[in-house]
Amino acid sequence: MKDSEFFGHVTAVAPGKVNMSLRVGPPRADGYHEVATLYLAVGLTEEVTAAPREDEAITVSLSERSAFSDVQLQDPDTGETVTAAIPVDESNLAHRAAALLRERLGHRRGVDLTITKNVPVAGGMGGGSADAAAALVACSALWEAGLSKEQLVEIGSALGADVPFAILGGAAVGQGVGDELSPLLTRGDLHLVIVPSNTGLSTPEVYRRLDAMREEAGVQAEEPALDPDLVRAVCTADAELVAALMANDLQAPAVSMIGSLEDMMDVGLVEGALQGMVSGSGPSVLFLARDAEAAGQLATRLEERTSVWAIPVSGPAPGAHLLTHRAGE
């Protein structure tokens, strides 16, 4: 690598996601759950800029353009909320992604990572995984690694189940713990409205609540499977059929932890949504609309009626990719 190449910077973006269906099986021996899910990448993206350092440090910071800089997490037992800043230390997924990539490449170059967060935090939309995906793409370009998307997916799989999908984007069926991906060939877009919550939920806590609710009800979880009609409906962007078939096994435990989610879904249906559902482990809520115009109108009505932040989006959106790559002067 030439010395001059240390003075450039690279920016990459990666999409948030929604789960148009999420079926959850029984807990496995390792504590995880088998799932069958239908991922849809949406046009709400995380942005990561990677700039080289002269030393070996990896740093993470949040840009002033971030829509989210902290998160309120709710204690599932007491109902109390605790405000926590988004970590910028070694626990941050973007930091872990850069460190892992550097280890795979066998060098010790440092990098400054600046994240612009536009995906709700702890909202079931994979924002942290999108950070990791964007960091992998940005650092791979900065360090001229020459890695293919398939190689980045393999590296990303070590960082979490949602990272490979954030790299690939589009729409895909996810199995295993969500990391065994079967990309779908789609035509046409689905239009949604995302309503972030002002309180986040811990994904492990939501899964634990699901297990407890099933045990209390005497329900034996079955091996998860997707409705093939739903898969076809997403592929053809048949919004009405998708609305009739979309489902989320984590919705009930999420609603049991934040009861206002059910009220929000009711409001969305009254205001014209085809269907409303908790996104992933929550607590963001997604509403499916008939088309782009209907999504925009729904977002406006929701904001006027409830004073929430309602974001119209569409999918499938492209996976992680470079936005800029600027060499130094």
Side-chain angles (χ1 to χ4, degrees):
M1 175 176 285
K2 300 176 183 178
D3 290 342
S4 63
E5 290 169 354
F6 282 95
F7 296 95
H9 70 264
V10 177
T11 299
V13 294
K17 58 84 183 172
V18 294
N19 301 77
M20 300 308 295
S21 184
L22 178 56
R23 295 302 194 182
V24 181
R28 309 190 314 187
D30 61 5
Y32 289 95
H33 294 71
E34 291 284 333
V35 302
T37 187
L38 203 165
Y39 290 115
L40 183 73
V42 297
L44 198 59
T45 59
E46 298 283 88
E47 180 180 307
V48 175
T49 296
R53 294 177 59 93
E54 295 182 357
D55 58 21
E56 297 182 359
I58 296 174
T59 70
V60 175
S61 62
L62 299 181
S63 82
E64 295 180 352
R65 295 185 292 112
S66 294
F68 302 93
S69 59
D70 55 34
V71 60
Q72 291 181 304
L73 291 175
Q74 184 180 68
D75 187 306
D77 297 317
T78 66
E80 296 180 352
T81 58
V82 177
T83 301
I86 295 170
V88 292
D89 56 13
E90 294 181 359
S91 66
N92 185 284
L93 268 177
H95 187 294
R96 291 173 55 195
L100 180 58
L101 178 61
R102 187 172 68 174
E103 178 184 332
R104 296 290 184 94
L105 296 176
H107 66 66
R108 299 298 302 172
R109 298 180 189 120
V111 64
D112 291 322
L113 301 174
T114 304
I115 302 174
T116 301
K117 295 201 67 65
N118 298 308
V119 176
V121 179
M125 292 188 65
S129 297
D131 291 338
L136 286 174
V137 170
C139 289
S140 178
L142 182 72
W143 294 330
E144 295 193 324
L147 297 178
S148 66
K149 182 160 287 192
E150 291 73 22
Q151 288 172 308
L152 292 175
V153 165
E154 185 273 326
I155 295 171
S157 64
L159 298 165
D162 289 345
V163 178
F165 179 70
I167 295 172
L168 294 175
V173 170
Q175 295 176 295
V177 295
D179 59 340
E180 299 172 13
L181 298 177
S182 299
L184 299 175
L185 182 62
T186 60
R187 60 179 187 272
D189 292 335
L190 292 172
H191 299 275
L192 308 107
V193 174
I194 305 297
V195 178
S197 172
N198 59 7
T199 301
L201 285 175
S202 163
T203 296
E205 289 292 346
V206 176
Y207 273 95
R208 279 193 282 271
R209 180 62 64 91
L210 172 64
D211 292 336
M213 292 174 68
R214 285 174 167 174
E215 182 177 359
E216 183 178 344
V219 174
Q220 182 66 41
E222 299 178 353
E223 289 302 309
L226 293 180
D227 187 328
D229 289 335
L230 173 67
V231 177
R232 286 191 288 270
V234 169
C235 289
T236 58
D238 185 338
E240 292 191 2
L241 186 53
V242 171
L245 299 175
M246 57 197 283
N248 181 5
D249 287 346
L250 295 182
Q251 178 166 297
V255 168
S256 77
M257 297 165 76
I258 302 180
S260 60
L261 295 178
E262 190 164 24
D263 296 333
M264 176 55 65
M265 287 185 283
D266 289 341
V267 170
L269 293 176
V270 169
E271 293 300 333
L274 295 177
Q275 187 58 278
M277 189 171 73
V278 172
S279 177
S281 59
S284 295
V285 172
L286 66 89
F287 294 103
L288 181 61
R290 194 174 309 278
D291 52 33
E293 181 180 4
Q297 293 172 348
L298 175 61
T300 298
R301 289 196 293 268
L302 286 171
E303 290 185 341
E304 290 175 346
R305 178 165 173 174
T306 65
S307 300
V308 297
W309 184 19
I311 312 167
V313 298
S314 63
H321 60 278
L322 292 177
L323 193 62
T324 60
H325 186 174
R326 299 177 183 173
E329 298 297 331

